[in-house]
Amino acid sequence: MYLADRRTTTGTAGRNPAPGRRAAVPATVFALGTVSLVTDVSSEMVSAVLPLYLVAGLGLSPLGFGLLDGLYNGVSALVRLVGGRLADRRDGGHKTVAVLGYGLSALCKPLLLAVHGVPLIGAVLAADRAGKGLRTAPRDAMISLACEPADRARAFGVHRAMDTAGALLGPLLAFLVLRTAAEGYDAVFTVSGCVAALGVLVLWLFVPARPSDPARLSDPAHPGRPTSPGNHASLSGPALPLRPTARTPLRDLLRRPKVRRLTACAVLLGLTTVSDSFLYLTLQRRLAVTEAWFPLLPLGTATAFLLLAVPLGAVADRFGRRRLFLCGHLALLGAYGLLLAPLGSSPAPAVAVLALHGTFYAATDGVLAAATADAVPPEIRGSGLAVVQTGQAAARFVCSIAFGAAWTAWGDRTALGAAATGLLVSAAASAVLLRPSPTDDPPEPAR
């Protein structure tokens, strides 16, 4: 697979594709997609049973679950900047940090077998999310550096589709384990740990340490001539590729208008994005779904995400990534509206809620990463992605705690109504923030 990736980056990505013809998705993207697929099988096995295990099994209140769920996501936010900065410090750093992140999460799955109290479970979940935080920005940086800039959203769509295939298989496998194993939850955690270890092995063996940046490999004026960004017409011979650096302070990243506005929008919208666990718990209570069938609820979201990630990525590349990002949040608003309406006994509204939830992810997850990559030069790509992702994750951490508190105080309908109102206001504000501005200059190479 490594040799295939080298052929892709130097042979295909280094040349301008023929007019009307799309460049092939690099092998690095497929390799990272395989890693994410395997890892998501492991992660979603745990995520599918965790809400019911904590609320029904351990008797945790909605507020307590909100605090734990917020911790689960908040720790990820705190370490994303660390992961991005470490990955940008040297050549090959993206893969090294990604391996550390995936490895830490894999180690946490067996630990769930040994802990039973809520504080200890919270500590293990925090470590697992720390691993996710470390790996996310370096992984996305490797994807963005391996593909043509004009095809980034489609490449992220391919990766997210493969990732979501794992999210689809994880709950199904958890359901089968719970139905057949005597010690259901312990069996789920055991199988999850074995699968996570396989994902780390695939990353170590098959993902190249230094995916090439196609934008850096060819001069638009002279196809095939190596060049560096901002130096398309060197008179002194081929320019050497720029080495990654982490000298740019984070405050300088936020001085870039595009990065600043993307981060502001990610925070605004994240503050009103109810976590998946709360959405499934709300749906389960509205439809009286039994404990045995609860792990299957994420399958609806994952199916829609899997089917739409690649097509919507292509749409974003063609018609605008920021526009599609906002449309995705309108789909989430539609899911909130259906949950607030009387669902009745028919399964159709539940299917619609899960389909809209999956559409939301397909239109926002990879699209936001592609839009961020457009705004940040390759040398600090990991740090730039981490800044935006940290803002979004921190906002969702606050939302989980606030939603759990509102549910405990006023009930799930009032809490969800407040979230829907906030999402509508945030989407309107984001539409204004994401308008093109004369100050939106193309990214310059870091000095």
Side-chain angles (χ1 to χ4, degrees), residues 71 113 132 199 311:
L71 175 68
L113 294 167
K132 179 177 176 61

Side-chain angles (χ1 to χ4, degrees), residues 23 57 103 135 157 188 201 209 222 243-244 246 291 312 319 323 344 368 372 405 408 422:
R135 71 185 185 239
V188 168
L201 186 63
H222 302 87
R243 294 179 60 84
E291 181 175 336
L312 289 182
F319 297 105
R323 187 178 304 167
L368 178 61
T372 305
T408 302

Side-chain angles (χ1 to χ4, degrees), residues 68 71-76 79 104 108 120-132:
L68 197 58
L71 175 68
Y72 191 57
N73 293 291
V75 171
S76 173
V79 299
L104 178 58
C108 289
L120 291 177
I121 291 175
V124 172
L125 294 178
D128 176 75
R129 290 298 91 181
K132 179 177 176 61

Side-chain angles (χ1 to χ4, degrees), residues 35-77:
V35 174
S36 293
L37 187 156
V38 174
T39 303
D40 239 38
V41 171
S42 169
S43 299
E44 293 303 322
M45 285 183 69
V46 174
S47 297
V49 302
L50 195 63
L52 208 61
Y53 174 62
L54 294 173
V55 175
L58 299 183
L60 208 61
S61 68
L63 175 58
F65 179 74
L67 290 170
L68 197 58
D69 189 62
L71 175 68
Y72 191 57
N73 293 291
V75 171
S76 173

Side-chain angles (χ1 to χ4, degrees), residues 186-283:
D186 286 350
V188 168
F189 299 149
T190 300
V191 175
S192 173
C194 295
V195 175
L198 176 61
V200 178
L201 186 63
V202 173
L203 173 62
W204 181 262
L205 294 177
F206 296 109
V207 175
R210 299 174 182 84
S212 300
D213 183 3
R216 216 189 293 178
L217 292 176
S218 63
D219 184 339
H222 302 87
R225 176 185 297 178
T227 185
S228 60
N231 185 24
H232 294 300
S234 174
L235 299 179
S236 58
L240 294 174
L242 296 174
R243 294 179 60 84
T245 178
R247 294 177 182 174
T248 303
L250 295 179
R251 63 178 178 274
D252 289 346
L253 278 170
L254 290 175
R255 286 172 182 166
R256 295 174 175 270
K258 286 184 179 180
V259 175
R260 186 170 60 248
R261 295 205 306 271
L262 282 170
T263 304
C265 292
V267 169
L268 278 175
L269 294 166
L271 287 171
T272 54
T273 301
V274 175
S275 74
D276 297 357
S277 298
F278 271 128
L279 186 138
Y280 299 141
L281 282 173
T282 302
L283 194 57

Side-chain angles (χ1 to χ4, degrees), residues 358-376:
T359 302
F360 155 69
Y361 278 118
T364 59
D365 193 8
V367 172
L368 178 61
T372 305
D374 293 341
V376 183

Side-chain angles (χ1 to χ4, degrees), residues 1-10 26-29 146 208 210-212:
M1 186 173 291
Y2 174 67
L3 292 177
D5 183 71
R6 289 185 64 186
R7 289 193 298 269
T8 301
T9 55
T10 59
T28 296
V29 176
R210 299 174 182 84
S212 300

